[in-house]
Amino acid sequence: MGAKMQSFTNKIQSSMGKFASNKLLSAISNGMIRLLPVTMVGSVFAILGNLGFPGYQEFVNKIGFGSIFAMGVQMTTNLISIYVLISLAYEYSKKLNGSKVNSILLSVMSFFLLTPISNFKVKGSAVVGLDLTYLGSKGMFVAMIVSLSVTRLYCLLENKHITIKMPDSVPPAVSNSFTGLVPAWIIAGIVLVINGILRATPFGDIHDLVYTIVQTPLEHLGGSIWALLFILFFSEFLWFFGIHGSMATSAIIYTLYQPLELQNLAAYTAGQALPNILTKTFIDVMKGPRHFALALLLLFICRSHHMKSVGKVAIIPAIFGISEPMKFGIPMVLNPILFIPMTLSPVISVGLAYAATSLKLIPRMTGITFPWNIPVVSGLIVGDWRTAVLQVIQLFIAMALYYPFIKFLDRQTLEQEAEQVEKE
């Protein structure tokens, strides 16, 4: 039985390790994480522009800051597709050992070649330009597809030496420009052909095609609580086998829930009703302070020297949602005693938060991001006092869930320590 279990574990670790280290998924995950500074800036401007203090809105508009705050949102999160293009092209070209600058430039070029130009009326005058909705969350999936596809094609052409090779005496800046010239013409030709074909379809352009066929179904999937609960369970399941579950599923999480978060932020800044319950921030904040709960049990409930030592090391990182000291210190990895609380605690916390939000006991997330999942503090920032209270409830639920399993494990560890002392 032990040999069979070890063989099964090795197979799981091998297959899931390959999945987690996939260049495409890794590029998506790392690229989306790089967007945090942009989304944080947009979130701060959104907060400053929408504080609900009496007379605040009239004051900021009177001194001219209202338009400045609005511009801060418009030039960050409302242009998220452009930042996605740049970030993903950079990360993917790095994985493929291609030119990062050329990959970024050609990705941006291709995106604009595929984005329709519209006619607008501004103060009675005809204006031709881009519809900014295509540059925001609505165009995010197109940006991801274009960035990854163009970068892959460019790096393939570059690695196959389908480029103009300049003599070594030519300055690097000039040489690099000529290196990207042939791939640029090839990519531009392919993109224009695609654009021409799409114009002949009922969709008209790639944005409507992707939004209808890909993005809308994915948003419906992202809006399903059952899909999210499965992802959370699967993430912890991977952790049980020593695979970084959060990293392995981050590409899926970002792809499904980041657009929903940006929709909420756009609605919040426009003073409209928030359309989505499930967002990226909702997941981060409402997974609950389960790591902090476990660290508290180790530090204050456990009697064995080993468990208390792990608790002392883990307590500060656990406040910020970091669990590795406990994952490998207890250990939780490949520990069947802790499998149930480990996999169920985020599922229960998120399920409870979803029910509370559906019943309007706590507010929906506005799309404002917060980089650290500090219990109570994060709840107050992204929600209100009710969200913070729910986090405290989640803390006690997680402690209650872990308690019998930790006590059993602590008893075992205490007996082992006593036996070790007797041998010495």
Side-chain angles (χ1 to χ4, degrees), residues 22-25 27-28 85 88-100 102-108 110 143-162 183 186-187 190:
N22 180 273
K23 290 181 179 180
L24 181 66
L25 295 176
I28 294 174
L85 278 167
L88 264 62
Y90 175 84
E91 286 293 335
Y92 199 30
S93 61
K94 186 168 66 173
K95 300 286 183 184
L96 300 175
N97 298 317
S99 171
K100 303 176 185 65
N102 287 343
S103 297
I104 292 170
L105 290 174
L106 296 182
S107 295
V108 174
S110 300
M144 293 174 67
I145 293 169
V146 169
S147 182
L148 297 171
S149 301
V150 169
T151 300
R152 184 71 183 91
L153 179 56
Y154 172 78
C155 292
L156 177 65
L157 295 171
E158 185 183 273
N159 293 334
K160 295 291 184 180
H161 303 292
I162 305 176
I186 294 174
I187 291 170
I190 293 173

Side-chain angles (χ1 to χ4, degrees), residues 120-281:
F120 303 94
K121 284 282 188 180
V122 180
K123 296 181 179 180
S125 301
V127 176
V128 179
L130 294 172
D131 187 342
L132 290 182
T133 58
Y134 293 129
L135 307 184
S137 60
K138 186 176 180 180
M140 187 171 168
F141 277 93
V142 174
M144 293 174 67
I145 293 169
V146 169
S147 182
L148 297 171
S149 301
V150 169
T151 300
R152 184 71 183 91
L153 179 56
Y154 172 78
C155 292
L156 177 65
L157 295 171
E158 185 183 273
N159 293 334
K160 295 291 184 180
H161 303 292
I162 305 176
T163 60
I164 297 176
K165 180 66 175 177
M166 301 298 290
D168 294 337
S169 58
V170 176
V174 177
S175 178
N176 290 336
S177 298
F178 276 89
T179 299
L181 193 57
V182 173
W185 279 109
I186 294 174
I187 291 170
I190 293 173
V191 168
L192 289 173
V193 169
I194 294 173
N195 194 19
I197 293 172
L198 289 174
R199 287 187 178 187
T201 68
F203 298 105
D205 58 74
I206 192 172
H207 289 274
D208 285 344
L209 172 68
V210 170
Y211 191 78
T212 303
I213 296 179
V214 179
Q215 186 162 346
T216 300
L218 283 177
E219 287 177 357
H220 287 307
L221 177 63
S224 167
I225 183 61
W226 302 111
L228 175 57
L229 295 182
F230 173 77
I231 292 171
L232 295 175
F233 173 84
F234 183 64
S235 175
E236 297 300 323
F237 177 79
L238 294 180
W239 263 119
F240 179 77
F241 291 96
I243 299 166
H244 200 301
S246 301
M247 291 298 295
T249 58
S250 61
I252 300 172
I253 292 289
Y254 275 106
T255 301
L256 291 178
Y257 299 101
Q258 189 72 8
L260 302 181
E261 178 153 295
L262 294 172
Q263 289 175 11
N264 275 22
L265 184 59
Y268 174 68
T269 54
Q272 300 171 352
L274 304 178
N276 306 303
I277 293 179
L278 302 181
T279 65
K280 177 66 171 60
T281 299

